[in-house]
Amino acid sequence: MGRGLIVVDVQNDFCEGGSIPVAGGARIASAIAELVERSVGRDYQYVVATRDHHIDPGSHFSETPDFRDSFPVHCVAGDEGGEFHPHFAPVVADGKVHAVFFKGAHSASKSGFEGADAEGTSLAEWLRVREVEDVDVVGIATDHCVRATALDAVKAGFRARVLLDYSVGVAPHTTAAALDDFRQAGVAVSGEAPVPE
Ligand SMILES: [Zn+2]
């Protein structure tokens, strides 16, 4: 039935100039905006976005981060770093993104399926009500939040595919491991750009 696009964490702090910048983030923000412009209402009945949105996430923030479970302060609710990247923000402002799901208020949260929209509806529930059965997942980062969101999509009963041409990874070895995890979990992968910049 319906196909949805899930855009993961295209936020200032995860792009060049942010507090945990991923090389290629700004470029992928532009590519995703173009994808949304040309495919919303055509290839995708629905487009949603997730946002890392921290109020007091406990040990997720650290002055001595390990960059696995703890990170420098990022995506604080209400701060510029948590806003959508300016290359992507216009398609949200134009109403081409149908809902935004916030995650991580009081804990670490990598998967968009842990988030809720402004009404408190979970991502899985929001998609099911609209009879979406297939989801494509894109965004930042392939080896962190894109990975967790795609794996949770399959667990929640959706057919999921990660579009590598519209995702960017932090590091080569963790991105390669994420691709293995996708294969094992039955997440489809499309695109030819698994190696981070
Ligand atoms: Zn976070």
Side-chain angles (χ1 to χ4, degrees):
M1 310 268 297
R3 178 179 289 277
L5 178 68
I6 303 173
V7 180
V8 175
D9 295 7
V10 180
Q11 293 167 269
N12 287 325
D13 272 341
F14 298 136
C15 297
E16 291 84 346
S19 65
I20 320 177
V22 180
R27 178 181 57 75
I28 225 71
S30 296
I32 291 170
E34 286 165 21
L35 174 67
V36 171
E37 290 275 4
R38 70 169 181 270
S39 60
V40 65
R42 298 161 67 96
D43 299 325
Y44 302 112
Q45 283 74 46
Y46 298 102
V47 178
V48 301
T50 70
R51 270 169 76 151
D52 216 21
H53 184 77
H54 295 310
I55 296 168
D56 179 13
S59 61
H60 184 51
F61 283 172
S62 173
E63 289 176 8
T64 53
D66 65 8
F67 292 94
R68 284 177 54 90
D69 300 310
S70 60
F71 294 87
V73 172
H74 62 278
C75 296
V76 172
D79 284 2
E80 183 69 24
E83 296 296 319
F84 288 123
H85 188 275
H87 292 174
F88 176 64
V91 297
V92 181
D94 285 352
K96 294 183 173 115
V97 172
H98 300 106
V100 177
F101 294 83
F102 297 87
K103 60 186 175 65
H106 300 287
S107 65
S109 178
K110 291 196 170 176
S111 167
F113 283 88
E114 295 168 352
D117 69 4
E119 278 83 51
T121 304
S122 74
L123 176 53
E125 175 69 13
W126 194 97
L127 294 168
R128 283 190 194 115
V129 164
R130 288 161 181 80
E131 301 188 332
V132 173
E133 295 182 351
D134 293 85
V135 294
D136 284 351
V137 184
V138 301
I140 307 171
T142 314
D143 38 356
H144 289 271
C145 293
V146 169
R147 173 186 176 278
T149 301
L151 294 177
D152 270 1
V154 168
K155 277 188 208 144
F158 300 95
R159 277 187 296 272
R161 180 171 67 167
V162 171
L163 308 183
L164 295 176
D165 293 337
Y166 298 93
S167 304
V168 64
V170 172
H173 63 289
T174 47
T175 300
L179 297 180
D180 282 343
D181 293 339
F182 294 154
R183 268 186 284 277
Q184 284 184 18
V187 174
V189 171
S190 112
E192 296 291 330
V195 179
E197 295 172 7

